[in-house]
Amino acid sequence: MYSYLIIDDEELIRKGTIKKLSTMGDIICCIGEAENGAEGIEKIEVLHPDMVILDMQMPVMDGTQLLPYLSQHYPGLPLIVISGYRDFDYVKHAISAQAIDYILKPFSREAIQKCVRDAISRLESHNALENHITSIEEEKEAAYYEYDQQILKNLILGYHTDTTVISSQKLNFINRTHNLILMTIYGEHISSEAEIRHWIEENEYSDWLLYLSHPNDKHMGFLLLLLPDQSPFTLSQLSRQAGSAFLSFSKSRDFVVLIGVSREHSKLEELGTAFEEASEALNRRTLTDVSCKCWYYEDTEPKIIEWDKLEEFLFRIESGMASEVEALTKELFRHFLSIPDFTLADAKYYCYFLSNQCRMILNEYLNQKDISSVSNSMQNIVTRLYLLEDLENYYQQFFVNLANMLKSQSVYAVDDVIEKIKIYMEKNYQKNLTQDFISYLFYLNRSYLSTLFKARTGQKFIDHLNEIRIEKAKELLAASDKKMYQISKSVGYDNVKYFFRIFKKKTGLTPEQYRLQNGKMNGTSR
């Protein structure tokens, strides 16, 4: 029976990892947990685990400090490094400390179990493998080959590497190649790496085509096309040949795969850019197109749409109405499907717009000054979703979680419906507010709303709305030098003449007269 210690400052991650390894209880068990590197060292000294699973980002003593210490004091101790960061510097720390593997959060049960099995295998046969690697040239070549593949995968996924020189004899031709295209393969089922490599060799593509599996995503792989010396074909011609051949190969196994093809690039360092282009190419698939085909990168602008439920959706989010948010999210994705030639990229663009609107709402409540890191992390995840169903599930969970988060803190968490309506009017006066829309939003009959609003406030709905708008206009007139049409628009009046008429009716002055009387004392130049 083998044992492991887990070091991570997030209890949920620790418990989740332990649970994912629980099915291996007949061969390995957790003998301890630690919240940071310093506590981890203390427990290693006492518990003597067979291996350590550790996070990189921790308080007190993080992974960048812990790894060198363990490498020096426990050189034979297998380490499995987990992190939510892509910075290759972390990978270098892991490699220098002889870590078994480096995986990114969130990771699957299969991924962490594979790492543990690799660690156990290393423990059982470390001496024998080390002797073979140093003495047998074939195994040296295999190690170089695996290392070269890792370099290429790191370049594709955007990790920084210290070298782009290929060491293995099998891939040495890449050092002489100056033109490349990356094809990203995505599908629910993809042939195994062995099958694809056999297909490449069988069709004699080995001197210009290389297959690389994705390190963390079993639904994704890469075909790297490299223009061979004295080739009678262009790289573009080869990419179309390879794409067509691979689609036929996949169809023969009843696999539906999608292929995104990058532009042509001149050096390995551009593989990260090529991957981004291939991802964008995959996003060009129209939502109703379920065929097995290739998409080629083009620099296109997203389709701008208007959704008539936008204001309702934002209100339901802010009100913490999770079930209504879930229903509206489903309705939104049905709406996407009804738009001709609407692509996955278009759907992602609108969802990203929606999420930004929601984050602004969240910022009002949590007072978050910088949400760019959260936004970037979310965008990185969404970029790698290539099926509409996956995109819908992701955003539905995101929006519902957001609604649940705001439910107890919402300004609408009051019992009185008229108070809720007044709050909504105060927050959204600049929008096109009508009694019909407000009645719909708050589940009221229009006539009942009119009667109830007048009875509770002493004002008609439109009079109260105008009062709010004129007060806001007065603030802008006194404190800014905006033009009249700008102020009119910003407080909810598209018609400037109507704005003038309402303003004079409420104040007895025209907007210009009000600014002349009040602008000076607020420091506004006239």
Side-chain angles (χ1 to χ4, degrees), residues 132-150 166-173 175 197:
H132 280 294
I133 289 172
T134 56
S135 62
I136 302 175
E137 287 299 322
E138 289 184 1
E139 294 196 11
K140 284 185 181 180
E141 169 64 12
Y144 283 132
Y145 182 62
E146 292 298 321
Y147 180 70
D148 289 343
Q149 289 184 84
Q150 191 59 51
I166 302 302
S167 304
S168 63
Q169 294 179 10
K170 189 173 183 179
L171 299 180
N172 186 258
F173 72 94
N175 290 324
R197 289 183 175 175

Side-chain angles (χ1 to χ4, degrees), residues 3 15 33 69 77 100 119 133 159 173 208 226 229 240 245 249 251 288 301 315-316 335 364 399 431 461 498 500:
S3 63
K15 299 304 181 187
E33 302 177 39
Y69 179 90
L77 181 64
I100 295 298
I133 289 172
Y159 305 152
F173 72 94
W208 57 274
L226 301 123
D229 295 335
R240 294 185 183 278
F249 166 68
K251 288 176 182 177
T288 55
E301 292 295 324
F315 170 70
R316 305 297 182 206
H335 177 61
E364 291 182 25
F399 291 135
K431 299 175 182 177
F461 173 86
Y498 182 70
F500 271 54

Side-chain angles (χ1 to χ4, degrees), residues 326-343:
E326 182 178 0
L328 284 167
T329 304
K330 291 179 180 178
E331 186 174 336
L332 172 63
F333 277 80
R334 289 196 298 271
H335 177 61
F336 288 158
L337 288 167
S338 70
I339 304 172
D341 300 323
F342 203 65
T343 68

